[in-house]
Amino acid sequence: SSESLRKSANWFLDFIRIKDDQILLTKGRDAYQYLVFQRYIIYFLALLSFVCIVIVLPVNIHGSNVDSIGTPFSKTTIGNLSLEKSHLFWIHAVLAAIIMPMGVFAMNHFSKVIKSDEEHITRRTLLIRRIPKFKNTKEILVNYFQQSFPDCPITGIQVIYDFNELQALELEYQNVVNAKDYCQRHNSSAPKNMTIKPYCMGQLGCCCCCCCQTVDGYEYYSERQEQINGDIKKELVNSFASPTGSVFITFQTEKQCME
């Protein structure tokens, strides 16, 4: 169980005994993907170490290209094989040709495992709409499902929010920051600071000179940046305070999701 794994101090035994379902339930999907990747790496390196110790190392030691004056370590490398006299170079080439496709196969299999797991999670997730806003919180929804469906445990709830206005503000903020940086670079290289007319078609000269005053570009965009930053904070609070009434709920099994 997960409790016994927490009490164990031997990480190798935990690595052997722990199940993928336990990782998903206790640590989440990101930890599951990382540990599965590490598992594939450990298996591949174990195979590579076995091949190097059992096959490659005796082959290198069998060579005689390094004289007795050389270091002991140099006698265990491929440099101990003579290119003209020894035919053992073929063993290195054959092993490299075998091990590299095995590594590619292992990574391909890992990607399929992760992809199949994503599809499995998708089949266990429901989109529920038209939830009253005063009940559209994770705590209320979790309590409701625990009381109404005690045999269907929930592994995740994601409330949906409307961030369209926030995305528009973010895009405008990026444009203002870029314009501010441009004005700063211009002011540092030009004798006069850049001035702008922050009005519709102001730079095209379509505005009246009396009504449309010219302002310093860097100062204008600095003030505009602070304004948009405040608008983003307000909109972020408003977005989280006003959910759309829809949620994604992930159940433990596909059967529970269908029920």
Side-chain angles (χ1 to χ4, degrees):
S1 63
S2 59
E3 293 294 333
S4 62
L5 291 177
R6 293 192 191 100
K7 296 178 182 179
S8 176
N10 194 329
W11 67 269
F12 186 74
L13 293 179
D14 291 348
F15 168 76
I16 295 176
R17 294 185 300 169
I18 195 170
K19 304 297 183 182
D20 292 345
D21 295 337
Q22 292 177 330
I23 301 175
L24 282 171
L25 291 177
T26 57
K27 299 302 180 182
R29 176 170 176 77
D30 293 337
Y32 166 73
Q33 290 187 2
Y34 175 76
L35 293 177
V36 170
F37 177 76
Q38 293 296 327
R39 183 187 303 164
Y40 275 82
I41 292 296
I42 291 175
Y43 289 156
F44 181 73
L45 292 180
L47 175 63
L48 190 61
S49 300
F50 176 81
V51 172
C52 291
I53 294 174
V54 176
I55 301 177
V56 176
L57 185 60
V59 168
N60 293 340
I61 295 176
H62 185 73
S64 59
N65 195 35
V66 178
D67 53 17
S68 58
I69 303 177
T71 61
F73 176 76
S74 61
K75 296 181 180 180
T76 63
T77 64
I78 194 174
N80 196 32
L81 300 178
S82 176
L83 184 61
E84 293 81 8
K85 300 179 181 180
S86 178
H87 299 286
L88 298 178
F89 272 101
W90 285 104
I91 297 180
H92 286 271
V94 171
L95 289 177
I98 294 176
I99 291 177
M100 186 178 67
M102 293 179 64
V104 174
F105 172 78
M107 292 299 98
N108 183 43
H109 188 269
F110 166 75
S111 63
K112 290 182 179 179
V113 170
I114 297 301
K115 183 178 180 180
S116 62
D117 184 70
E118 290 178 352
E119 295 175 351
H120 181 61
I121 290 180
T122 304
R123 290 194 296 265
R124 294 188 289 112
T125 303
L126 286 179
L127 171 62
I128 301 179
R129 305 175 63 183
R130 298 180 181 178
I131 299 177
K133 292 186 177 181
F134 63 91
K135 294 184 178 180
N136 197 3
T137 61
K138 289 186 178 181
E139 293 77 11
I140 295 177
L141 291 174
V142 168
N143 293 332
Y144 171 77
F145 277 95
Q146 287 179 349
Q147 295 175 3
S148 303
F149 308 98
D151 297 332
C152 299
I154 296 175
T155 60
I157 293 180
Q158 181 60 55
V159 181
I160 301 176
Y161 301 95
D162 185 8
F163 291 132
N164 290 327
E165 185 66 25
L166 192 63
Q167 290 177 349
L169 289 173
E170 183 182 3
L171 179 60
E172 185 179 359
Y173 182 84
Q174 293 295 332
N175 293 333
V176 169
V177 170
N178 294 333
K180 177 184 174 182
D181 293 340
Y182 177 79
C183 292
Q184 186 178 11
R185 291 194 301 269
H186 178 273
N187 295 343
S188 61
S189 59
K192 294 179 61 177
N193 291 348
M194 174 175 284
T195 58
I196 62 172
K197 293 180 180 180
Y199 310 101
C200 180
M201 303 179 68
Q203 295 300 108
L204 299 179
C206 299
C207 296
C208 177
C209 297
C210 299
C211 301
C212 302
Q213 297 180 356
T214 301
V215 297
D216 184 83
Y218 181 80
E219 294 180 357
Y220 170 79
Y221 287 118
S222 298
E223 295 176 359
R224 185 60 183 155
Q225 181 181 2
E226 294 180 359
Q227 293 176 0
I228 298 177
N229 192 23
D231 294 340
I232 289 176
K233 293 180 180 179
K234 293 179 182 179
E235 183 62 28
L236 187 62
V237 174
N238 295 333
S239 298
F240 281 112
S242 302
T244 60
S246 302
V247 295
F248 286 107
I249 298 181
T250 303
F251 294 89
Q252 191 170 11
T253 63
E254 184 179 354
K255 182 179 179 181
Q256 295 172 353
C257 181
M258 297 175 63
E259 293 176 352

